[in-house]
Amino acid sequence: MDKGYSYNKVFAAACLGMLLFGCALISVGSFMPAIIQKFHFDSLQAGTLASVLPAGILFGSLVFGPFVDRYSYKYLLIICSIVFILGMEGIAFAQSLFILQVSFFLIGFGGGTLNGATNAMVADISDASSKNSSANLSLLGVFFGIGALGIPILLSVLTSTYSFEQIIKIAGVVVVFPLVYFILVKYPSVKEPQAVSLKQALKMLRDKKLLVLAIFLFFQSAIEGIVNNWTTTYLLKSGEIDTELTLKALSVFVVSLTVARIFLAAVLRRISAYKVLLFSIILLLAGVLVFSIQSTFSVYLTGLVLIGFGVAAGFPVVLAYVSHLYSNQRGTAFSIAIVIGLLGNIGVNYLTGIVAHHIGINRFPIILLICSMLLLIITITQIKQFHKKVRI
């Protein structure tokens, strides 16, 4: 049957969008040293930039769902690409803190919207063409890792020849190519031609199944966030590990997560999503326990590899459950789940900062362990019940 669109072309568009989100999420850490040096910012001014990006991502994640439930994916991808380009070029040409803040917000908004929209889009086309939505969502996640690794690599290769402003200008221009592709591709038709009302959205917020899945993503996102943001600080405080090694350790975590999602794309087509999720959480717990050992760099590295493999299945599997349970209002359901997940990232990161300040960063593994145990409890007591109804 002719669906009116090409699965491969739409999936490629989703992968390009996720690639841009990976670039967006890593951009603050990558650009910040050069920006601080150029503008002579103090820690407070730099902190405002670091907080603006997640605010943009959160806002973008909130608005994409109702939009795609009523309008086309095409318009959203085009708008977000333009917003992303404006953010990149804004950083390159900025002469004030305000312009930088606006630019980082635009990058966050564009990236956050692309993240939610591409996940919902892949779920849509997987629902139409196959029963392997969790596998396809996992493969989509690989491109997040490529984007997250791409910006630091690009900067490290080109900084000896070009200024950071020139590199960002070029990167912004390069985004024009995905933008053109987004314009040319034909997308799935809208499932809900009428907008989801505020009353309907609030009713979905009270839906127990959706809340359980969203709370899982709350702790899943929290783990990913604090590993990215606090691992280097923890390793430096542990002694005998220098800055260069801690950065390598963080890169190993991102690479292991990305590689794991490549494997998951194949595994999830053969083994039930629930079994894969349960095994992944066991790997995560093992990784946290190994990482907790005050030992050598190689032991820390082993723990991070296991944690990377352990967190890889969370988002693709849980979003696949959301996709199947709320197929008629998928965009809004994804928006709610992803926003609650992001709140976990922001909230637990803030909590970790409080703990590090008042008690000590040595308690960092305990926070990881608590979040991991909560994921295991939710999986065994709740998600197992969903799997009996929605077999993916």
Side-chain angles (χ1 to χ4, degrees), residues 148-218:
L149 291 170
I151 290 291
I153 292 172
L154 182 70
L155 288 173
S156 64
V157 170
L158 298 179
T159 45
S160 59
T161 309
Y162 302 98
S163 67
F164 91 94
E165 295 98 334
Q166 290 173 315
I167 296 170
I168 298 170
K169 287 176 190 176
I170 294 168
V173 172
V174 169
V175 178
V176 172
F177 293 100
L179 171 60
V180 172
Y181 185 79
F182 294 152
I183 293 171
L184 296 176
V185 171
K186 188 170 183 179
Y187 298 89
S189 59
V190 180
K191 288 202 169 189
E192 287 287 330
Q194 300 300 319
V196 177
S197 67
L198 179 61
K199 184 178 179 180
Q200 288 174 304
L202 291 173
K203 185 178 179 180
M204 292 179 74
L205 273 172
R206 296 193 295 270
D207 188 292
K208 180 187 174 183
K209 296 189 292 294
L210 182 58
L211 277 178
V212 166
L213 293 168
I215 291 169
F216 180 99
L217 294 183
F218 180 97

Side-chain angles (χ1 to χ4, degrees), residues 55-68:
I57 293 172
L58 188 65
F59 186 65
S61 301
L62 188 64
V63 303
F64 87 85
F67 188 100
V68 298

